[in-house]
Amino acid sequence: MSHEPHRPRTRSGGAGELFELTAGQALGRIEAGELGSDEYFDAYAEAAAGDELNAYLWRAEPGSRAAGGEGFRGLPIAIKDIFCTEGIPTTAGSRILEGYRPPYTATAVARLADAGARVLGKTNMDEFAMGSSNENSGYGSVLNPWDRSRVPGGSSGGSAAAVAARLAPWAIGTDTGGSIRQPASLCGIVGMKPTYGAISRYGMIAFASSLDQCGPLTRDVTDAAMLVRAMQGRDHCDSTSVGIEGGVELPSREDLQGLRFGIPRELAGDAEGIEAGVSENFEATLRLIEELGGELDQCELPSTRNGISAYYVIAPAEASANLARYDGVRYGMRDPEPEDLLGMYERTRARGFGAEVKRRIMLGTYALSSGYYEAYYGQAQKVRTRIAQDFDAAFARFDFLVTPTSPTVAFELGAKTADPWAMYMNDYCTVPMPLAGIPAISIPSGLAAPAGGGPELPVGFQITGPAFSESGILGAAYALERAIGFTERPAA
Ligand code: GLN
């Protein structure tokens, strides 16, 4: 952990120094007149142009001068390719949307632009956000900057890899079952999934509408707070958006005095498949919570044991309905030689969707079919309610709950592609929160060796709290981030 001597893995000084600034620090320099807004944007546009990780699907040219206003002063930001951006290709990682240029911009992105940020690029992702490794992208895998033979996590893997590799100062992504927090963990950065309804989903290509939520992937907790603050709010285009009452405070907590942290047995100590290195790091981070004055105790979330099972009924069920719109008529790809209308639908979907998307459409259609609806979908919804009740009971005793973010560090490309269940288990610790609609953050807590041996890789620590406790979570994460002092970087 941080108390041991650090092994910096990055270049330092010179031009590289610019890339070590957090977005908040860069903003401070721009405001002080020490750094030019265009100079900063172009430095990143050039870095992104040299992307060797396949993190980007589209990049702004250096010298492109979209308006960048007050507030963020033209800071560049990378956007997961699931957000519609007017006139800019938007694929959601799918071949079926190849060539699609949306006629409008997602509210979350529009809010960032209104706050003065400029789109640096669109990042690679698992197709329609279905995946935990980015290997399901229709445009090739993203490589983990810490070790290019390993995955960056998913589905927001392009955003996570770009931020970790200094190809973007910060980014946004989406999280349905863990897709912000798990790649943030595997790439050694901060990722936050806000409360369901905190940020508008308008213009965010739908995967599972009752779970999907937009959030930040950043170098530190302050940057995450800045992005959630700018994006949150009610939007009349998304009837489920409510915003965060009172907004989001920038974090400043220095200790954890008076805060009670619960450790859910099912998602920490008792959980199967947590690597030894991840467990050790988790325990060491718990000791830091105590050093900072926080109180720790065990608790139970019994129904979260069934979280993955419930998620893999509910999310595919919603996806099967959401993906019905890709019929070759309205967006992107169309099969060029259909014999008739039905054939055109079938051939377009057969060619345009990848294997995992087809698997989910079949699972979801089956779960919703008459005769099975109650047995699967109805049952999964009951589990979902139980999970939310478990969290409510725990939050009567605790301010926050803490778990490892991902059971393992980054795994090798191809290691889990033949075994969907092993892949799904990646999200064991992250799926319960979206099912309950509550916010959670992952912060880097150190490095650990993978179970199979090899150089150490980043580990993430997850903090979750009740609905709309974003400011509280960010404050606790900020105090802990300083105590951890994670300064390791992937080699340039
Ligand atoms: N890995 C999970 C899945 O494949 C979660 C994805 C997500 O959060 N978008 O569905």
Side-chain angles (χ1 to χ4, degrees):
M1 295 236 359
S2 57
H3 307 296
E4 293 159 15
H6 295 308
R7 285 137 297 160
R9 297 186 180 197
T10 190
R11 61 198 176 213
S12 62
E17 198 248 0
L18 192 69
F19 295 101
E20 298 312 309
L21 300 174
T22 64
Q25 288 166 342
L27 181 60
R29 296 231 186 146
I30 293 170
E31 283 170 346
E34 295 159 15
L35 174 63
S37 167
D38 290 343
E39 176 197 347
Y40 185 63
F41 185 89
D42 288 348
Y44 268 106
E46 273 156 32
D51 168 25
E52 293 173 355
L53 304 173
N54 200 26
Y56 283 100
L57 296 177
W58 179 89
R59 289 165 287 220
E61 297 287 329
S64 59
R65 292 285 172 263
E70 289 298 301
F72 289 153
R73 303 276 192 128
L75 291 177
I77 185 157
I79 309 287
K80 185 178 184 179
D81 206 29
I82 199 164
F83 292 92
C84 288
T85 40
E86 186 180 342
I88 295 175
T90 300
T91 66
S94 183
R95 289 282 171 189
I96 212 162
L97 280 174
E98 201 166 0
Y100 174 58
R101 287 176 190 259
Y104 70 108
T105 294
T107 301
V109 179
R111 292 231 163 138
L112 293 175
D114 290 346
R118 293 188 273 195
V119 176
L120 173 64
K122 301 292 293 292
T123 55
N124 200 349
M125 56 180 284
D126 284 301
E127 186 174 4
F128 289 109
M130 298 175 189
S132 306
S133 68
N134 238 285
E135 294 164 295
N136 295 338
S137 169
Y139 301 90
S141 300
V142 178
L143 311 182
N144 189 314
W146 293 81
D147 175 347
R148 294 184 185 192
S149 69
R150 291 176 187 267
V151 305
S155 65
S156 309
S159 285
V163 172
R166 277 60 193 152
L167 302 175
W170 55 3
I172 60 170
T174 57
D175 191 310
T176 304
S179 279
I180 290 174
R181 292 161 289 154
Q182 185 258 13
S185 172
L186 270 46
C187 288
I189 62 168
V190 173
M192 184 173 206
K193 184 206 91 74
T195 307
Y196 185 77
I199 300 173
S200 170
R201 289 181 296 106
Y202 181 69
M204 213 171 91
I205 294 173
F207 162 16
S209 309
S210 76
L211 298 160
D212 299 341
Q213 185 60 201
C214 156
L217 294 106
T218 59
R219 309 266 179 82
D220 75 355
V221 174
T222 302
D223 280 4
M226 287 166 66
L227 288 180
V228 177
R229 182 155 88 160
M231 292 188 292
Q232 69 81 28
R234 165 113 184 90
D235 173 16
H236 71 270
C237 295
D238 170 6
S239 61
T240 64
S241 71
V242 288
I244 301 171
E245 211 181 313
V248 174
E249 285 163 34
L250 291 190
S252 60
R253 257 198 110 94
E254 291 188 353
D255 61 41
L256 300 174
Q257 297 288 345
L259 295 180
R260 297 156 307 162
F261 293 83
I263 308 158
R265 257 182 249 288
E266 297 78 4
L267 303 182
D270 290 0
E272 268 175 56
I274 298 193
E275 283 181 339
V278 170
S279 274
E280 279 160 33
N281 176 278
F282 180 68
E283 293 296 326
T285 310
L286 296 179
R287 299 290 82 77
L288 289 179
I289 291 183
E290 286 177 324
E291 280 172 32
L292 290 168
E295 285 169 39
L296 285 175
D297 204 355
Q298 301 275 337
C299 69
E300 271 98 46
L301 297 172
S303 297
T304 58
R305 287 213 171 88
N306 300 318
I308 291 281
S309 305
Y311 175 86
Y312 278 99
V313 173
I314 294 168
E318 294 186 19
S320 70
N322 278 326
L323 271 53
R325 73 190 68 167
Y326 304 105
D327 55 5
V329 176
R330 283 170 281 192
Y331 315 92
M333 165 191 289
R334 174 180 303 171
D335 185 84
E337 291 155 0
E339 34 333 332
D340 55 19
L341 183 63
L342 197 60
M344 192 276 288
Y345 295 156
E346 288 172 354
R347 291 169 62 124
T348 300
R349 288 167 70 85
R351 281 180 41 173
F353 288 140
E356 182 64 22
V357 172
K358 288 175 185 162
R359 176 167 23 242
R360 306 264 181 126
I361 292 172
M362 286 190 281
L363 272 172
T365 308
Y366 179 77
L368 292 178
S369 55
S370 98
Y372 296 108
Y373 185 92
E374 255 320 302
Y376 295 108
Y377 187 74
Q379 194 67 14
Q381 291 291 15
K382 286 181 194 154
V383 172
R384 184 176 190 174
T385 302
R386 290 270 179 89
I387 290 175
Q389 289 167 342
D390 284 358
F391 277 113
D392 283 347
F395 291 133
R397 282 177 62 206
F398 299 101
D399 297 290
F400 306 110
L401 304 182
V402 294
T403 78
T405 307
S406 169
T408 71
V409 296
F411 46 93
E412 278 170 3
L413 287 156
K416 301 188 184 179
T417 39
D419 184 352
W421 186 252
M423 190 67 93
Y424 295 173
M425 289 308 282
N426 265 294
D427 297 311
Y428 183 73
C429 298
T430 50
V431 141
M433 295 80 186
L435 285 170
I438 59 177
I441 197 168
S442 176
I443 62 171
S445 52
L447 299 176
E456 295 187 308
L457 293 160
V459 180
F461 186 83
Q462 179 171 235
I463 308 174
T464 185
F468 304 110
S469 66
E470 275 80 357
S471 292
I473 291 177
L474 287 158
Y478 176 82
L480 195 54
E481 169 182 65
R482 287 162 48 124
I484 292 168
F486 183 80
T487 54
E488 289 84 353
R489 302 283 176 259

